[in-house]
Amino acid sequence: MQRYENKVAIITGGGGAIGGAIARRLSSEGAAVAVLDQLGDQAERMATELETGGGKAIAVTADITDKPAVEAGVAATLEAYGRIDLLVNNAGYTKSGSIDDLDPDEFNKELNINLTGSYICAAAVLPSMIEAGRGAIVNIGSVNGRVAVGNPAYSAAKAGLYSLTQSLATEYGPKGVRTNMVSPGTIETDIYTWRVRREKNPEIFDVLARWYPVGRVGQPEDVAPAVAFLGADEAGFVNGANLMVDGGLTCGLAPMIEEMILE
Ligand SMILES: NC(=O)c1ccc[n+]([C@@H]2O[C@H](COP(=O)([O-])OP(=O)(O)OC[C@H]3O[C@@H](n4cnc5c(N)ncnc54)[C@H](O)[C@@H]3O)[C@@H](O)[C@H]2O)c1
């Protein structure tokens, strides 16, 4: 199956765990990949890994909140491969676990990276997609955008990202550009908040597993196939969707059901 033969994808945060899994997946399906990350060495490492595996890849060092840097990264991708078929808005960040931890600067920082940064990247790829009359954007949301599970500023940003997904889907669908969202539940990665929680409780992912109807938390490789589907031509009639990749977490309260069943 080579759904991405002759196609080009930009993956923001591509040097990280979920972004890396998405990069590997798209590359294995034939895509040339621009691995965009603010950490240049991580982007380089991932691009080298893809090339060593026989794929085509370039590394782009850019902060997604820096419009000129993002535009330069998009220009470099077009220069290298001549087209952009898919943008995966995956770069994300959160630090503050509760409202009490927040101040306006941190609140704005989390909004800026998770929401404004995704808008900046979308705006940067849209001209070439509109000109080509085709393209896809997949935004990485979170269960936090749907229900309150901590990290309130990040959650507000991810909820806003779904609104942005709907606006993009509606405004650019007629121009051939589809936009969808993938919203993962707990994914075992080293993103800041999980690193801190794991330091406090090394069993954190096992503890959280009981909330998940599938009996486990997710892995980065659980997210990648959903992104690959939404970005591919076969999803041509899927536009503005929010695909939960959360093992059923947000469809019910599994531990509550367990507690209600007394025999
Ligand atoms: N891990 C989870 O449980 C989980 C759950 C739901 C959603 N998500 C989302 O998945 C995405 C990836 O998370 P992850 O767990 O792989 O984290 P990660 O820390 O492994 O990867 C994030 C990557 O984004 C990059 N990045 C951060 N800010 C950036 C910026 N301003 N500009 C450019 N690059 C930037 C980082 O350098 C890093 O390489 C994020 O959007 C996150 O919100 C994660």
Side-chain angles (χ1 to χ4, degrees), residues 12-20 36-39 42 62-65 89-94 113-114 140-144 154 158 182-192 194-195 205 220:
T12 73
I18 295 173
L36 184 152
D37 207 291
Q38 64 181 356
L39 302 177
Q42 284 190 209
D63 182 326
I64 58 165
T65 65
N89 267 323
N90 163 78
Y93 158 85
T94 181
I113 296 175
N114 294 293
I140 303 300
S142 169
V143 291
N144 289 58
Y154 167 84
K158 294 292 192 182
V182 168
S183 290
T186 301
I187 305 294
E188 205 173 327
T189 75
D190 216 22
I191 198 170
Y192 178 82
W194 288 130
R195 188 161 64 241
F205 293 120

Side-chain angles (χ1 to χ4, degrees), residues 14 21 23 29 46 51 96 107 109 117 131 134 148 161 164 172 181 202 216 222 225 263:
E29 293 199 35
M46 181 52 60
E51 289 215 298
S96 300
F107 195 96
K109 181 177 176 184
E131 198 189 334
R134 42 136 189 84
L161 189 56
L164 180 65
Y172 295 102
M181 184 149 105
R216 65 174 178 87
D222 289 314
E263 45 184 81

